[in-house]
Amino acid sequence: MKPAKSFSIDVALAQKRAQLLFSNESALGEDLKETLVEAQEQERLTCGVYESGKLLEMNPDGIMLCILPENSASDVTLHIHLTLIEAFCWENDIRVIKVDSVEKLAKLLEVAEDVSSVDSQGPRWVKKDNGSAVDYNCVLVEYPTGKCSPAEEKLLDFHRVTCDLVPQPVIPLEV
């Protein structure tokens, strides 16, 4: 009987910690934005279902975060791919963070606002700099070579206190 009581106390504690973190959701969105922009500048960002799958296969220990948009899969095939990526991340202790919109994620990473095409991997956006189509349905952030930034530390703390919550919390992005 005691393990069940201990478990319910642990869940209650995790929920209380999550509520404290959620009291400032916009700060979490800003921390995520800062982390993504910094990772993009340092070339630690991998975007796309296929590209992410290749990196996960080659170097799962080098991935700090996997960012997946909530309910981005209008296509069954894409939904299956994202579910498999999420399961792989859970199996390999890679932190999964959900965001509220693939469109906001694409805008956050400074791409053109128009969807260039929609295929079996979902919507693709045209990058401003080179005109190539990019898929933002899965974004991986690799560990930095040095210490994690304060924004990255906050996201890691957020994941630590919310990883056992069901349903998984979704970070709203401000664009």
Side-chain angles (χ1 to χ4, degrees), residues 38-94:
E38 184 178 312
Q40 190 175 38
E41 289 170 355
Q42 296 173 359
E43 297 182 358
R44 299 185 291 124
L45 207 63
T46 300
C47 300
V49 173
Y50 180 71
E51 294 80 1
S52 295
K54 287 194 303 186
L55 182 60
L56 286 168
E57 181 181 16
M58 292 172 38
N59 186 18
D61 295 334
I63 307 301
M64 181 174 72
L65 293 172
C66 175
I67 300 168
L68 299 172
E70 181 72 14
N71 299 326
S72 68
S74 58
D75 178 39
V76 173
T77 306
L78 177 60
H79 178 72
I80 291 169
H81 282 105
L82 294 176
T83 302
L84 289 171
I85 286 174
E86 186 173 2
F88 183 88
C89 289
W90 285 108
E91 281 292 314
N92 288 278
D93 295 323
I94 298 170

Side-chain angles (χ1 to χ4, degrees), residues 32 35-36 38-39 44 55-56 59-67 93-97 139-144 146-149 151-153 155-156 159:
L32 182 58
T35 296
L36 290 172
E38 184 178 312
R44 299 185 291 124
L55 182 60
L56 286 168
N59 186 18
D61 295 334
I63 307 301
M64 181 174 72
L65 293 172
C66 175
I67 300 168
D93 295 323
I94 298 170
R95 296 163 190 91
V96 176
I97 291 183
V139 176
L140 299 179
V141 179
E142 295 178 60
Y143 281 103
K147 293 174 71 174
C148 290
S149 70
E152 290 170 336
E153 288 293 340
L155 286 174
L156 296 177
H159 183 271

Side-chain angles (χ1 to χ4, degrees), residues 6-172:
S6 174
F7 176 74
S8 65
I9 292 171
D10 291 342
V11 171
L13 182 61
Q15 288 175 337
K16 187 160 186 98
R17 287 182 185 161
Q19 286 175 346
L20 290 173
L21 285 171
F22 284 135
S23 65
N24 197 356
E25 284 181 342
S26 63
L28 282 172
E30 285 300 314
D31 291 334
L32 182 58
K33 179 179 180 179
E34 185 179 325
T35 296
L36 290 172
V37 169
E38 184 178 312
Q40 190 175 38
E41 289 170 355
Q42 296 173 359
E43 297 182 358
R44 299 185 291 124
L45 207 63
T46 300
C47 300
V49 173
Y50 180 71
E51 294 80 1
S52 295
K54 287 194 303 186
L55 182 60
L56 286 168
E57 181 181 16
M58 292 172 38
N59 186 18
D61 295 334
I63 307 301
M64 181 174 72
L65 293 172
C66 175
I67 300 168
L68 299 172
E70 181 72 14
N71 299 326
S72 68
S74 58
D75 178 39
V76 173
T77 306
L78 177 60
H79 178 72
I80 291 169
H81 282 105
L82 294 176
T83 302
L84 289 171
I85 286 174
E86 186 173 2
F88 183 88
C89 289
W90 285 108
E91 281 292 314
N92 288 278
D93 295 323
I94 298 170
R95 296 163 190 91
V96 176
I97 291 183
K98 299 273 186 150
V99 296
D100 61 343
S101 166
V102 68
E103 291 82 7
K104 289 180 183 178
L105 188 58
K107 287 179 185 176
L108 183 97
L109 294 171
E110 299 184 33
V111 296
E113 295 190 19
D114 295 330
V115 174
S116 65
S117 65
V118 177
D119 61 15
S120 65
Q121 291 189 354
R124 294 178 176 273
W125 284 264
V126 176
K127 279 191 125 176
K128 290 179 181 176
D129 57 351
N130 64 7
S132 64
V134 180
D135 165 23
Y136 289 96
N137 287 294
C138 180
V139 176
L140 299 179
V141 179
E142 295 178 60
Y143 281 103
T145 53
K147 293 174 71 174
C148 290
S149 70
E152 290 170 336
E153 288 293 340
K154 288 178 189 174
L155 286 174
L156 296 177
D157 287 342
F158 167 78
H159 183 271
R160 188 173 19 263
V161 300
T162 62
C163 65
D164 293 332
L165 297 179
V166 176
Q168 187 175 4
V170 178
I171 297 177

